[in-house]
Amino acid sequence: MLASGSMLPVTDTTDLRERRRLATRADIETAALDLFTRQGSDRTTVDEIAAAAGVSPRTFFRYFPTKEDAALGTNRAFDTAIATRVRGPVTLPEIVDAVAATLGEFDGAPIDRLLQVRCLLNHDDNLRRAALRMEAERCWEVHGDLRTRVMNETVNVAMRAALDEWATHRAAGEDADLVEIFREVCAIQSRMFDGFLMKRAS
Amino acid sequence: MLASGSMLPVTDTTDLRERRRLATRADIETAALDLFTRQGSDRTTVDEIAAAAGVSPRTFFRYFPTKEDAALGTNRAFDTAIATRVRGPVTLPEIVDAVAATLGEFDGAPIDRLLQVRCLLNHDDNLRRAALRMEAERCWEVHGDLRTRVMNETVNVAMRAALDEWATHRAAGEDADLVEIFREVCAIQSRMFDGFLMKRAS
DNA sequence: TGCCAACATGGCAGTCACTGCCACTAGGGT
DNA sequence: ACCCTAGTGGCAGTGACTGCCATGTTGGCA
C-alpha cells in the first residue's frame, strides 16, 4: 500500500487508525444524541447506546467517561472554541466579537448539531446537569485570581442563558440570532449594576 | 406520659416523632460531614456514613437522595434563607442587605457549620459538583422570564465566589467578612459592564 | 388499658454506571 | 514472515440507588 502521511493530500489530516477512532467516536455520539432525544437520557442505558453504535459497553467507556458526556461533544467543542479566542483579560465587547467569530466558524452542520444539543438540554434535566458539571469543571480548572474567576463565570451565565434562549426560539420555528441574544443578555446584566459603584462614591 | 402538643411550652415546635426524624437527619449529616472531611467524599461509601450515623443504608436514602446531599444541608439552608428574603425584582443593594441579614440570623453554630461545609467544598471536587448541581436545580425551578433568570444566576455567581473566598481566608486563619467580600465581588462584576450600554447609544 | 392504623426502619434482591484485568485480534513497521 | 502495539470484547467486581416486604414503634382512640 501507499505510505500514508506526507505525500497524500491533506484530506483529513490523520492516519488511518486515528480516522477510525474519530469515526467510532462520532458513531457513539450520534447514537447517544438520537436515543437521548427519543427517550431522554435517564431512560437510556449505556448498553443501549453501545449497541446502537455497534461497540461493546466496555469500549463505550474508553471513549467517554460518562454516558452523558457522549452527547455533549459538540457543546464542549463550542465552549472550547470560544475559550481559545478569549485569552487573558479582555473587555466585554471583545468577548461578543469572539462569540460572533466562533459562531461563524461553526456554520453549517456543526451549528445544527449544537442547536440539537441545546434543545435537548432544555428538556432533559439529567443531561443539563451533566452540561453544567462540564462547564463548572472548566471554570474550576482555570484557578485564576478572584477577578478572573468572577468574570469568567459571569460571562458563562450570559452565554448559557443566551444559548438556552436561542435554542428555545429556534425550536419553536422562529428565527433567532445568537450573537444578538447574547448582547441582550449582557445588557440585562449591565443594567443590574447601573449606579452600583456610584453609590459608594457619593 | 404527658400529652405533648398544645399545653407544653413551644420548646421545639414539633411533635415527638418529628423531633426524632430531625435528630436522625442531623446525625447522618454530622457523620457525612465528618467522614467527608477526613477521607474525601469519593473515598466514603454510603454504608460507612450509615454505619457511623447508626442507621441502615436503606434508611440513609430515605433522608437524602444522594450521599453528597447529606453533607450539604447547611449550605442549602443558607441559600434558602437568602432566597426567601429576596422575593420578586429587587436591586443589588437590597440583595446585599439580604445577605447581611441572613448572615446575622445564622450567627453562632450555624455559621461555623456553613464555614466547615464551604471549606470542604474548596477541596472536594465531587462534593463541589453536587453543590453546583443543587444550586443549578434551584435556579432551573424558578423558570421566570429571561431577565429574572439572568439576574438570579449572576447574583449566584457572585455569592458562590464570595463564599469560596470567605472560606479560603477563614481556613487560613485570617479574618474575613462575607458581606464585605460579596460587595467586592459585585464591584468586580460591575466594572465588567462599565460603559457597555453607553457604547451602543453613542 | 388494649387495639388499630400509620409511620419508621431494616433487609433483600435487583438495576445500572463505571472500572480493572486479561485475552484476543488486526494493522503497520521491520 | 515476524513482532508489537493500539483497539476491542468479555468478565467479574464495586458502589449508588430503588422497590418490595416484613417487622417494630408510636400515637390516637375506643
Side-chain angles (χ1 to χ4, degrees):
Chain A
M1 306 297 173
L2 289 176
S4 63
S6 52
M7 46 169 42
L8 283 180
V10 260
T11 51
D12 255 343
T13 73
T14 52
D15 72 301
L16 191 143
R17 258 178 179 157
E18 177 119 6
R19 235 173 302 162
R20 285 232 175 121
R21 272 182 55 81
L22 290 179
T24 352
R25 194 183 176 83
D27 286 347
I28 297 176
E29 188 173 338
T30 305
L33 220 42
D34 182 47
L35 284 166
F36 288 176
T37 306
R38 283 190 295 166
Q39 346 175 320
S41 65
D42 47 357
R43 294 257 164 233
T44 306
T45 68
V46 171
D47 289 31
E48 278 180 286
I49 303 173
V55 297
S56 74
R58 188 66 190 84
T59 294
F60 174 92
F61 286 108
R62 289 208 177 85
Y63 283 86
F64 299 98
T66 73
K67 77 171 169 179
E68 289 82 11
D69 277 324
L72 296 174
T74 307
N75 197 48
R76 185 181 199 91
F78 184 69
D79 279 357
T80 308
I82 293 182
T84 52
R85 280 181 187 274
V86 183
R87 283 258 168 269
V90 287
T91 69
L92 207 48
E94 284 173 323
I95 294 174
V96 175
D97 290 344
V99 172
T102 307
L103 223 51
E105 82 184 19
F106 263 63
D107 205 46
I111 205 77
D112 290 339
R113 178 153 284 213
L114 180 63
L115 184 59
Q116 186 188 357
V117 175
R118 298 303 312 194
C119 286
L120 206 63
L121 255 43
N122 277 344
H123 300 297
D124 193 315
D125 286 2
N126 183 45
L127 207 57
R128 162 165 286 268
R129 276 196 282 268
L132 245 14
R133 205 190 62 187
M134 277 178 66
E135 195 180 291
E137 265 157 18
R138 183 181 297 276
C139 282
W140 195 239
E141 281 163 11
V142 177
H143 250 65
D145 59 353
L146 182 62
R147 183 169 163 276
T148 310
R149 178 194 162 179
V150 170
M151 288 185 60
N152 249 323
E153 296 197 16
T154 305
V155 170
N156 260 353
V157 164
M159 192 69 235
R160 180 157 24 90
L163 282 166
D164 288 343
E165 191 75 2
W166 174 66
T168 305
H169 282 170
R170 294 291 294 262
E174 309 165 24
D175 227 28
D177 177 23
L178 218 193
V179 179
E180 193 52 42
I181 295 175
F182 181 65
R183 233 189 291 265
E184 279 171 37
V185 174
C186 288
I188 292 174
Q189 286 181 315
S190 189
R191 273 192 288 275
M192 283 179 63
F193 297 96
D194 255 3
F196 180 74
L197 290 173
M198 301 301 175
K199 220 167 206 170
R200 317 198 63 197
S202 70
Chain B
M1 308 296 172
L2 290 175
S4 64
S6 49
M7 48 169 40
L8 283 179
V10 259
T11 50
D12 253 342
T13 73
T14 52
D15 70 300
L16 192 144
R17 254 177 182 159
E18 178 118 5
R19 236 174 301 162
R20 285 236 175 121
R21 273 182 55 81
L22 289 179
T24 357
R25 194 183 177 83
D27 286 348
I28 296 176
E29 189 173 336
T30 306
L33 219 43
D34 181 47
L35 285 165
F36 288 175
T37 306
R38 283 189 296 165
Q39 350 175 319
S41 66
D42 48 356
R43 293 260 162 231
T44 307
T45 68
V46 171
D47 289 32
E48 278 180 286
I49 303 173
V55 296
S56 75
R58 188 65 190 83
T59 294
F60 174 93
F61 286 108
R62 289 209 176 84
Y63 283 87
F64 298 99
T66 72
K67 77 171 170 177
E68 289 82 11
D69 278 325
L72 297 174
T74 307
N75 198 48
R76 185 181 199 90
F78 185 69
D79 280 358
T80 307
I82 293 182
T84 51
R85 280 180 186 273
V86 184
R87 285 256 169 270
V90 287
T91 69
L92 206 49
E94 284 172 324
I95 294 174
V96 175
D97 290 344
V99 172
T102 306
L103 222 53
E105 83 185 19
F106 263 62
D107 205 45
I111 206 74
D112 290 339
R113 177 154 285 213
L114 180 64
L115 184 59
Q116 185 187 357
V117 175
R118 299 302 314 193
C119 286
L120 206 64
L121 255 43
N122 277 345
H123 301 297
D124 192 315
D125 286 2
N126 183 45
L127 206 56
R128 162 165 288 266
R129 275 196 283 268
L132 245 13
R133 206 189 61 187
M134 277 179 65
E135 194 181 292
E137 265 156 18
R138 182 182 297 274
C139 283
W140 195 239
E141 281 164 10
V142 177
H143 251 63
D145 59 354
L146 182 63
R147 184 169 161 277
T148 310
R149 179 196 160 177
V150 170
M151 288 185 60
N152 249 323
E153 296 197 15
T154 305
V155 170
N156 260 353
V157 164
M159 192 68 234
R160 180 159 22 91
L163 282 165
D164 288 343
E165 191 76 2
W166 174 66
T168 305
H169 282 170
R170 294 292 294 260
E174 309 166 23
D175 227 29
D177 177 23
L178 220 192
V179 178
E180 193 52 41
I181 295 175
F182 181 65
R183 232 190 291 265
E184 279 171 36
V185 173
C186 288
I188 292 174
Q189 285 181 316
S190 189
R191 275 192 287 275
M192 284 178 63
F193 297 97
D194 256 3
F196 180 74
L197 290 172
M198 303 298 175
K199 221 166 203 168
R200 318 197 63 195
S202 69

